[in-house]
Amino acid sequence: MFDGLISPNRNDECWCGSGKKYKKCHLRNDERMQELYDQGNEMLYRSLLKTPEEIEGIKYSAEVNVGSLDYVAEHIGPGVTTAEIDKWVYDYCIEHDAIPADLDYEGFPKSVCTSINSVVCHGIPSEDDVLQEGDIVNVDMSTIRNGYFSDSSRMFCIGEVSPERKRLVEVTKASVEAGLAAVKPWGHLGDVSAAVNKVATEAGYSVVAEFGGHGIGLEFHEDPFVSFVAEAGTGPILVPGMCFTIEPMVNMGGAAIDMTDPNGWTVRTADGSDSAQWEVQIVVTEDGYELLSW
């Protein structure tokens, strides 16, 4: 096979651990992958495709990730500090036998990212960041449970926000929904990217190029990188079992970003305009996708 991995014989147990014979399980998909690779298409290694057992493990992790964000949604509001949000998330994870994946990841000091207004991503929770009426904030949550990783984020409007900010939040969410609609098994990852980008740019916004989605499941960040400025018909083939996030960062102004914050993490829009992000985690299936974390 193109990935250098040995395939079982037809009547041997499938490599995915399903217990089925190879000919009754992944043989046909593997043959199709090889054919598409031979035609010049980009393919992910089969080792990155998630088995049914692994998908169940990711779902178990995602229960905590979704639950954490639900808890934030119930309690967030004017006067809340981002440090409080961080504590909510940490406590929820620990109470549910999980670990916040962000905590100490490459030195990140907190359990969650909280990105307010012009912060594009990787905002660090602080007692000094008090949410004000009219703010928009992204809460980006990642969880490890039983060794499996889940990841998603939501935007929150704090009290009454301006029509401009509300529209940015809504359009960004709509761009994610367009990306989901473009997930077709045996299509291209670039089809998802282009669908996301089209919604955002046609609304007059810009899409950040330096950051995007990623594969996830057994590690926090796996291949592929999911760009939201890629063209349709490009990128890896969407093979059933691929697990990745769709998480565009959409700026009200220009796409340029500022990464000069002394903390080494917080990214802002270069022109000071507002930014929004929604994130979901999916796995590609034989007939579309399954939403795992949101």
Side-chain angles (χ1 to χ4, degrees), residues 231-289:
E231 296 182 357
T234 66
I237 296 293
L238 295 171
V239 179
M242 278 181 63
C243 184
F244 60 92
T245 65
I246 301 176
E247 50 176 312
M249 299 168 198
V250 178
N251 296 347
M252 190 178 292
I257 58 176
D258 177 0
M259 301 178 64
T260 62
D261 193 292
N263 68 30
W265 284 99
T266 303
V267 180
R268 295 178 172 82
T269 57
D271 58 11
S273 63
D274 291 327
S275 186
Q277 177 193 15
W278 292 84
E279 177 184 11
V280 297
Q281 179 182 1
I282 69 163
V283 62
V284 180
T285 64
E286 294 289 347
D287 56 2
Y289 68 88

Short mmCIF file of all heavy atoms in Angstrom, two decimals, residues 231-289:
data_model
loop_
_atom_site.label_atom_id
_atom_site.label_comp_id
_atom_site.label_asym_id
_atom_site.label_seq_id
_atom_site.Cartn_x
_atom_site.Cartn_y
_atom_site.Cartn_z
N GLU A 231 -8.16 25.94 -1.69
CA GLU A 231 -9.11 25.88 -2.79
C GLU A 231 -9.82 24.53 -2.84
O GLU A 231 -9.28 23.51 -2.41
CB GLU A 231 -8.40 26.13 -4.12
CG GLU A 231 -7.79 27.53 -4.23
CD GLU A 231 -7.13 27.75 -5.57
OE1 GLU A 231 -7.10 26.79 -6.39
OE2 GLU A 231 -6.64 28.86 -5.81
N ALA A 232 -11.03 24.53 -3.36
CA ALA A 232 -11.77 23.29 -3.58
C ALA A 232 -10.98 22.37 -4.51
O ALA A 232 -10.27 22.83 -5.40
CB ALA A 232 -13.15 23.58 -4.16
N GLY A 233 -11.10 21.07 -4.29
CA GLY A 233 -10.41 20.11 -5.13
C GLY A 233 -8.96 19.89 -4.77
O GLY A 233 -8.24 19.20 -5.50
N THR A 234 -8.52 20.46 -3.65
CA THR A 234 -7.14 20.29 -3.20
C THR A 234 -7.12 19.62 -1.83
O THR A 234 -8.14 19.46 -1.19
CB THR A 234 -6.42 21.65 -3.11
OG1 THR A 234 -7.02 22.44 -2.05
CG2 THR A 234 -6.52 22.42 -4.41
N GLY A 235 -5.92 19.23 -1.43
CA GLY A 235 -5.75 18.65 -0.09
C GLY A 235 -6.05 17.17 -0.05
O GLY A 235 -6.41 16.55 -1.06
N PRO A 236 -5.93 16.57 1.12
CA PRO A 236 -6.13 15.13 1.26
C PRO A 236 -7.56 14.71 0.92
O PRO A 236 -8.51 15.48 1.08
CB PRO A 236 -5.84 14.87 2.75
CG PRO A 236 -5.07 16.05 3.22
CD PRO A 236 -5.51 17.20 2.39
N ILE A 237 -7.68 13.48 0.47
CA ILE A 237 -8.99 12.89 0.23
C ILE A 237 -9.66 12.61 1.58
O ILE A 237 -9.02 12.15 2.53
CB ILE A 237 -8.86 11.58 -0.57
CG1 ILE A 237 -8.30 11.86 -1.97
CG2 ILE A 237 -10.20 10.85 -0.67
CD1 ILE A 237 -9.22 12.66 -2.88
N LEU A 238 -10.95 12.90 1.66
CA LEU A 238 -11.73 12.64 2.88
C LEU A 238 -12.13 11.17 2.92
O LEU A 238 -13.06 10.75 2.25
CB LEU A 238 -12.96 13.54 2.90
CG LEU A 238 -12.70 15.05 2.99
CD1 LEU A 238 -14.00 15.82 2.78
CD2 LEU A 238 -12.07 15.41 4.33
N VAL A 239 -11.41 10.42 3.72
CA VAL A 239 -11.63 8.98 3.81
C VAL A 239 -12.39 8.67 5.09
O VAL A 239 -12.11 9.27 6.14
CB VAL A 239 -10.27 8.24 3.81
CG1 VAL A 239 -10.49 6.72 3.94
CG2 VAL A 239 -9.50 8.56 2.54
N PRO A 240 -13.37 7.78 5.05
CA PRO A 240 -14.05 7.40 6.28
C PRO A 240 -13.05 7.01 7.37
O PRO A 240 -12.13 6.24 7.13
CB PRO A 240 -14.91 6.21 5.85
CG PRO A 240 -15.22 6.51 4.41
CD PRO A 240 -13.96 7.12 3.87
N GLY A 241 -13.26 7.58 8.56
CA GLY A 241 -12.32 7.37 9.67
C GLY A 241 -11.44 8.56 9.95
O GLY A 241 -10.82 8.63 11.01
N MET A 242 -11.38 9.52 9.01
CA MET A 242 -10.63 10.75 9.27
C MET A 242 -11.33 11.55 10.35
O MET A 242 -12.55 11.79 10.27
CB MET A 242 -10.52 11.61 8.00
CG MET A 242 -9.43 11.20 7.05
SD MET A 242 -9.35 12.29 5.58
CE MET A 242 -8.96 13.86 6.34
N CYS A 243 -10.59 12.01 11.33
CA CYS A 243 -11.15 12.78 12.44
C CYS A 243 -10.40 14.10 12.52
O CYS A 243 -9.16 14.12 12.63
CB CYS A 243 -11.00 12.00 13.74
SG CYS A 243 -11.75 12.78 15.18
N PHE A 244 -11.13 15.22 12.44
CA PHE A 244 -10.47 16.53 12.43
C PHE A 244 -11.43 17.61 12.91
O PHE A 244 -12.63 17.37 13.08
CB PHE A 244 -9.93 16.86 11.04
CG PHE A 244 -10.96 16.92 9.94
CD1 PHE A 244 -11.58 18.10 9.61
CD2 PHE A 244 -11.29 15.77 9.23
CE1 PHE A 244 -12.53 18.17 8.59
CE2 PHE A 244 -12.23 15.81 8.20
CZ PHE A 244 -12.86 17.02 7.88
N THR A 245 -10.89 18.79 13.12
CA THR A 245 -11.70 19.93 13.56
C THR A 245 -11.93 20.91 12.40
O THR A 245 -11.09 21.05 11.52
CB THR A 245 -11.03 20.70 14.72
OG1 THR A 245 -9.81 21.30 14.26
CG2 THR A 245 -10.75 19.77 15.88
N ILE A 246 -13.06 21.58 12.45
CA ILE A 246 -13.36 22.70 11.57
C ILE A 246 -13.46 23.91 12.49
O ILE A 246 -14.36 23.98 13.33
CB ILE A 246 -14.67 22.49 10.79
CG1 ILE A 246 -14.59 21.22 9.95
CG2 ILE A 246 -14.98 23.70 9.92
CD1 ILE A 246 -15.88 20.87 9.23
N GLU A 247 -12.54 24.86 12.37
CA GLU A 247 -12.47 25.96 13.32
C GLU A 247 -11.91 27.25 12.70
O GLU A 247 -10.83 27.71 13.06
CB GLU A 247 -11.63 25.57 14.53
CG GLU A 247 -10.27 24.96 14.22
CD GLU A 247 -9.45 24.69 15.46
OE1 GLU A 247 -9.36 25.60 16.32
OE2 GLU A 247 -8.90 23.58 15.58
N PRO A 248 -12.64 27.85 11.77
CA PRO A 248 -12.14 29.08 11.15
C PRO A 248 -12.07 30.24 12.13
O PRO A 248 -12.91 30.37 13.03
CB PRO A 248 -13.18 29.35 10.06
CG PRO A 248 -14.43 28.74 10.59
CD PRO A 248 -13.98 27.49 11.30
N MET A 249 -11.06 31.06 11.95
CA MET A 249 -10.93 32.31 12.69
C MET A 249 -11.21 33.44 11.70
O MET A 249 -10.47 33.62 10.73
CB MET A 249 -9.53 32.42 13.30
CG MET A 249 -9.26 31.30 14.27
SD MET A 249 -7.54 31.17 14.76
CE MET A 249 -7.54 29.47 15.41
N VAL A 250 -12.29 34.16 11.93
CA VAL A 250 -12.81 35.11 10.97
C VAL A 250 -12.70 36.52 11.55
O VAL A 250 -13.19 36.79 12.65
CB VAL A 250 -14.28 34.79 10.62
CG1 VAL A 250 -14.85 35.82 9.65
CG2 VAL A 250 -14.38 33.38 10.04
N ASN A 251 -12.03 37.40 10.80
CA ASN A 251 -11.81 38.77 11.26
C ASN A 251 -12.78 39.73 10.60
O ASN A 251 -13.05 39.64 9.40
CB ASN A 251 -10.38 39.21 10.95
CG ASN A 251 -9.34 38.40 11.69
OD1 ASN A 251 -9.66 37.66 12.61
ND2 ASN A 251 -8.08 38.54 11.29
N MET A 252 -13.23 40.70 11.37
CA MET A 252 -14.10 41.73 10.82
C MET A 252 -13.34 42.63 9.86
O MET A 252 -13.90 43.14 8.89
CB MET A 252 -14.72 42.56 11.95
CG MET A 252 -15.84 43.50 11.50
SD MET A 252 -16.57 44.44 12.86
CE MET A 252 -17.41 43.16 13.79
N GLY A 253 -12.06 42.82 10.11
CA GLY A 253 -11.22 43.64 9.26
C GLY A 253 -10.32 42.80 8.38
O GLY A 253 -10.76 41.82 7.76
N GLY A 254 -9.04 43.14 8.34
CA GLY A 254 -8.10 42.39 7.51
C GLY A 254 -7.70 41.07 8.13
O GLY A 254 -7.92 40.81 9.32
N ALA A 255 -7.08 40.22 7.32
CA ALA A 255 -6.70 38.88 7.76
C ALA A 255 -5.39 38.87 8.54
O ALA A 255 -5.08 37.87 9.21
CB ALA A 255 -6.58 37.95 6.56
N ALA A 256 -4.62 39.95 8.49
CA ALA A 256 -3.31 39.97 9.14
C ALA A 256 -3.45 39.86 10.66
O ALA A 256 -4.40 40.40 11.25
CB ALA A 256 -2.55 41.24 8.78
N ILE A 257 -2.50 39.16 11.28
CA ILE A 257 -2.54 38.96 12.72
C ILE A 257 -1.28 39.50 13.38
O ILE A 257 -0.25 39.69 12.73
CB ILE A 257 -2.70 37.47 13.08
CG1 ILE A 257 -1.57 36.63 12.47
CG2 ILE A 257 -4.06 36.97 12.61
CD1 ILE A 257 -1.60 35.17 12.87
N ASP A 258 -1.37 39.74 14.67
CA ASP A 258 -0.26 40.24 15.49
C ASP A 258 0.08 39.18 16.52
O ASP A 258 -0.74 38.85 17.39
CB ASP A 258 -0.69 41.55 16.16
CG ASP A 258 0.38 42.12 17.09
OD1 ASP A 258 1.46 41.50 17.20
OD2 ASP A 258 0.13 43.18 17.69
N MET A 259 1.31 38.65 16.46
CA MET A 259 1.75 37.59 17.36
C MET A 259 2.87 38.06 18.28
O MET A 259 3.68 37.26 18.74
CB MET A 259 2.19 36.37 16.55
CG MET A 259 1.10 35.80 15.66
SD MET A 259 1.66 34.38 14.66
CE MET A 259 2.04 33.17 15.93
N THR A 260 2.90 39.36 18.58
CA THR A 260 4.01 39.93 19.34
C THR A 260 3.76 40.01 20.84
O THR A 260 4.58 40.57 21.57
CB THR A 260 4.36 41.33 18.82
OG1 THR A 260 3.22 42.20 19.00
CG2 THR A 260 4.74 41.29 17.35
N ASP A 261 2.62 39.48 21.32
CA ASP A 261 2.36 39.57 22.75
C ASP A 261 3.50 38.93 23.54
O ASP A 261 3.95 37.82 23.21
CB ASP A 261 1.04 38.86 23.09
CG ASP A 261 0.56 39.20 24.49
OD1 ASP A 261 1.23 38.79 25.46
OD2 ASP A 261 -0.47 39.87 24.63
N PRO A 262 3.98 39.60 24.58
CA PRO A 262 5.10 39.07 25.37
C PRO A 262 4.83 37.71 26.01
O PRO A 262 5.77 36.99 26.35
CB PRO A 262 5.31 40.14 26.45
CG PRO A 262 4.76 41.40 25.87
CD PRO A 262 3.60 40.96 25.02
N ASN A 263 3.54 37.36 26.20
CA ASN A 263 3.27 36.06 26.82
C ASN A 263 3.56 34.89 25.88
O ASN A 263 3.53 33.73 26.30
CB ASN A 263 1.85 36.00 27.38
CG ASN A 263 0.77 36.01 26.30
OD1 ASN A 263 0.94 35.54 25.19
ND2 ASN A 263 -0.41 36.54 26.65
N GLY A 264 3.80 35.19 24.60
CA GLY A 264 4.16 34.15 23.64
C GLY A 264 3.00 33.33 23.11
O GLY A 264 3.20 32.41 22.31
N TRP A 265 1.78 33.68 23.51
CA TRP A 265 0.62 32.90 23.11
C TRP A 265 -0.47 33.72 22.42
O TRP A 265 -0.94 33.35 21.34
CB TRP A 265 0.00 32.20 24.33
CG TRP A 265 0.75 31.02 24.80
CD1 TRP A 265 1.65 30.95 25.84
CD2 TRP A 265 0.73 29.70 24.23
NE1 TRP A 265 2.16 29.69 25.95
CE2 TRP A 265 1.60 28.90 24.98
CE3 TRP A 265 0.02 29.13 23.16
CZ2 TRP A 265 1.81 27.55 24.70
CZ3 TRP A 265 0.22 27.79 22.87
CH2 TRP A 265 1.11 27.02 23.63
N THR A 266 -0.88 34.82 23.04
CA THR A 266 -2.07 35.52 22.60
C THR A 266 -1.89 36.15 21.22
O THR A 266 -0.93 36.90 20.99
CB THR A 266 -2.47 36.60 23.62
OG1 THR A 266 -2.66 35.98 24.89
CG2 THR A 266 -3.73 37.31 23.20
N VAL A 267 -2.80 35.84 20.32
CA VAL A 267 -2.78 36.35 18.95
C VAL A 267 -3.93 37.33 18.77
O VAL A 267 -5.07 37.03 19.16
CB VAL A 267 -2.91 35.18 17.93
CG1 VAL A 267 -2.90 35.72 16.50
CG2 VAL A 267 -1.81 34.16 18.15
N ARG A 268 -3.63 38.50 18.19
CA ARG A 268 -4.64 39.53 17.96
C ARG A 268 -4.72 39.88 16.48
O ARG A 268 -3.82 39.57 15.71
CB ARG A 268 -4.32 40.79 18.78
CG ARG A 268 -4.38 40.57 20.28
CD ARG A 268 -3.99 41.84 21.05
NE ARG A 268 -4.24 41.70 22.48
CZ ARG A 268 -3.41 41.10 23.33
NH1 ARG A 268 -2.26 40.61 22.87
NH2 ARG A 268 -3.71 40.99 24.61
N THR A 269 -5.80 40.53 16.11
CA THR A 269 -5.87 41.07 14.75
C THR A 269 -4.88 42.23 14.64
O THR A 269 -4.71 43.02 15.58
CB THR A 269 -7.28 41.58 14.41
OG1 THR A 269 -7.66 42.56 15.38
CG2 THR A 269 -8.29 40.44 14.45
N ALA A 270 -4.22 42.34 13.51
CA ALA A 270 -3.21 43.38 13.34
C ALA A 270 -3.83 44.77 13.32
O ALA A 270 -3.19 45.74 13.74
CB ALA A 270 -2.43 43.13 12.06
N ASP A 271 -5.08 44.88 12.85
CA ASP A 271 -5.72 46.19 12.73
C ASP A 271 -6.65 46.51 13.90
O ASP A 271 -7.34 47.53 13.89
CB ASP A 271 -6.47 46.29 11.40
CG ASP A 271 -7.55 45.22 11.23
OD1 ASP A 271 -7.86 44.51 12.22
OD2 ASP A 271 -8.09 45.07 10.12
N GLY A 272 -6.69 45.63 14.90
CA GLY A 272 -7.52 45.88 16.07
C GLY A 272 -8.99 45.57 15.88
O GLY A 272 -9.81 45.83 16.78
N SER A 273 -9.36 45.00 14.74
CA SER A 273 -10.76 44.65 14.51
C SER A 273 -11.13 43.40 15.30
O SER A 273 -10.27 42.67 15.79
CB SER A 273 -11.01 44.41 13.01
OG SER A 273 -10.25 43.30 12.55
N ASP A 274 -12.42 43.16 15.42
CA ASP A 274 -12.89 41.99 16.16
C ASP A 274 -12.67 40.71 15.35
O ASP A 274 -12.57 40.72 14.12
CB ASP A 274 -14.38 42.13 16.47
CG ASP A 274 -14.66 43.22 17.48
OD1 ASP A 274 -13.82 43.43 18.37
OD2 ASP A 274 -15.73 43.87 17.37
N SER A 275 -12.61 39.60 16.09
CA SER A 275 -12.43 38.28 15.48
C SER A 275 -13.36 37.29 16.16
O SER A 275 -13.69 37.45 17.34
CB SER A 275 -10.98 37.82 15.62
OG SER A 275 -10.74 36.62 14.91
N ALA A 276 -13.79 36.28 15.42
CA ALA A 276 -14.67 35.25 15.97
C ALA A 276 -14.23 33.88 15.49
O ALA A 276 -13.59 33.74 14.44
CB ALA A 276 -16.12 35.51 15.57
N GLN A 277 -14.58 32.86 16.27
CA GLN A 277 -14.24 31.48 15.93
C GLN A 277 -15.25 30.53 16.55
O GLN A 277 -15.64 30.70 17.71
CB GLN A 277 -12.83 31.13 16.45
CG GLN A 277 -12.43 29.69 16.21
CD GLN A 277 -11.19 29.29 17.00
OE1 GLN A 277 -10.78 29.98 17.93
NE2 GLN A 277 -10.58 28.18 16.63
N TRP A 278 -15.69 29.57 15.78
CA TRP A 278 -16.42 28.43 16.30
C TRP A 278 -15.64 27.18 15.90
O TRP A 278 -14.99 27.17 14.84
CB TRP A 278 -17.82 28.32 15.70
CG TRP A 278 -18.79 29.41 16.09
CD1 TRP A 278 -18.92 30.64 15.52
CD2 TRP A 278 -19.77 29.36 17.14
NE1 TRP A 278 -19.92 31.35 16.13
CE2 TRP A 278 -20.46 30.58 17.13
CE3 TRP A 278 -20.14 28.38 18.06
CZ2 TRP A 278 -21.49 30.87 18.02
CZ3 TRP A 278 -21.17 28.65 18.95
CH2 TRP A 278 -21.84 29.89 18.91
N GLU A 279 -15.73 26.14 16.71
CA GLU A 279 -14.98 24.92 16.40
C GLU A 279 -15.83 23.70 16.69
O GLU A 279 -16.47 23.61 17.74
CB GLU A 279 -13.70 24.86 17.24
CG GLU A 279 -12.91 23.57 17.03
CD GLU A 279 -11.69 23.48 17.93
OE1 GLU A 279 -11.57 24.32 18.87
OE2 GLU A 279 -10.86 22.58 17.72
N VAL A 280 -15.80 22.75 15.74
CA VAL A 280 -16.43 21.45 15.94
C VAL A 280 -15.42 20.37 15.57
O VAL A 280 -14.47 20.60 14.84
CB VAL A 280 -17.71 21.29 15.08
CG1 VAL A 280 -18.77 22.30 15.48
CG2 VAL A 280 -17.39 21.41 13.59
N GLN A 281 -15.65 19.20 16.09
CA GLN A 281 -14.82 18.03 15.79
C GLN A 281 -15.69 16.97 15.15
O GLN A 281 -16.77 16.66 15.66
CB GLN A 281 -14.18 17.49 17.07
CG GLN A 281 -13.31 16.26 16.88
CD GLN A 281 -12.75 15.76 18.21
OE1 GLN A 281 -13.03 16.33 19.27
NE2 GLN A 281 -11.96 14.71 18.17
N ILE A 282 -15.22 16.40 14.05
CA ILE A 282 -16.02 15.41 13.31
C ILE A 282 -15.18 14.20 12.95
O ILE A 282 -13.95 14.23 12.99
CB ILE A 282 -16.61 16.02 12.02
CG1 ILE A 282 -15.50 16.30 11.00
CG2 ILE A 282 -17.41 17.27 12.30
CD1 ILE A 282 -16.00 16.51 9.59
N VAL A 283 -15.86 13.14 12.57
CA VAL A 283 -15.23 12.01 11.91
C VAL A 283 -15.97 11.77 10.60
O VAL A 283 -17.21 11.84 10.55
CB VAL A 283 -15.23 10.75 12.80
CG1 VAL A 283 -16.64 10.27 13.12
CG2 VAL A 283 -14.42 9.63 12.15
N VAL A 284 -15.24 11.53 9.53
CA VAL A 284 -15.84 11.24 8.23
C VAL A 284 -16.40 9.82 8.27
O VAL A 284 -15.76 8.89 8.77
CB VAL A 284 -14.81 11.37 7.10
CG1 VAL A 284 -15.45 11.06 5.74
CG2 VAL A 284 -14.19 12.77 7.08
N THR A 285 -17.62 9.66 7.76
CA THR A 285 -18.27 8.36 7.71
C THR A 285 -18.50 7.94 6.26
O THR A 285 -18.19 8.68 5.33
CB THR A 285 -19.62 8.40 8.46
OG1 THR A 285 -20.51 9.30 7.77
CG2 THR A 285 -19.44 8.88 9.90
N GLU A 286 -19.07 6.76 6.09
CA GLU A 286 -19.31 6.24 4.73
C GLU A 286 -20.33 7.09 3.97
O GLU A 286 -20.34 7.10 2.73
CB GLU A 286 -19.81 4.81 4.79
CG GLU A 286 -18.79 3.81 5.33
CD GLU A 286 -17.65 3.54 4.36
OE1 GLU A 286 -17.76 3.92 3.19
OE2 GLU A 286 -16.63 2.98 4.80
N ASP A 287 -21.20 7.81 4.69
CA ASP A 287 -22.22 8.59 4.01
C ASP A 287 -22.19 10.07 4.38
O ASP A 287 -23.16 10.79 4.10
CB ASP A 287 -23.61 8.01 4.29
CG ASP A 287 -23.91 7.91 5.79
OD1 ASP A 287 -23.06 8.32 6.60
OD2 ASP A 287 -25.00 7.43 6.12
N GLY A 288 -21.14 10.54 5.03
CA GLY A 288 -21.05 11.96 5.37
C GLY A 288 -20.09 12.19 6.53
O GLY A 288 -18.89 11.99 6.39
N TYR A 289 -20.65 12.57 7.68
CA TYR A 289 -19.81 12.79 8.84
C TYR A 289 -20.64 12.56 10.09
O TYR A 289 -21.88 12.56 10.06
CB TYR A 289 -19.26 14.23 8.85
CG TYR A 289 -20.32 15.29 9.06
CD1 TYR A 289 -20.70 15.70 10.33
CD2 TYR A 289 -20.99 15.88 7.97
CE1 TYR A 289 -21.69 16.65 10.54
CE2 TYR A 289 -21.97 16.83 8.16
CZ TYR A 289 -22.32 17.21 9.45
OH TYR A 289 -23.33 18.13 9.64
#
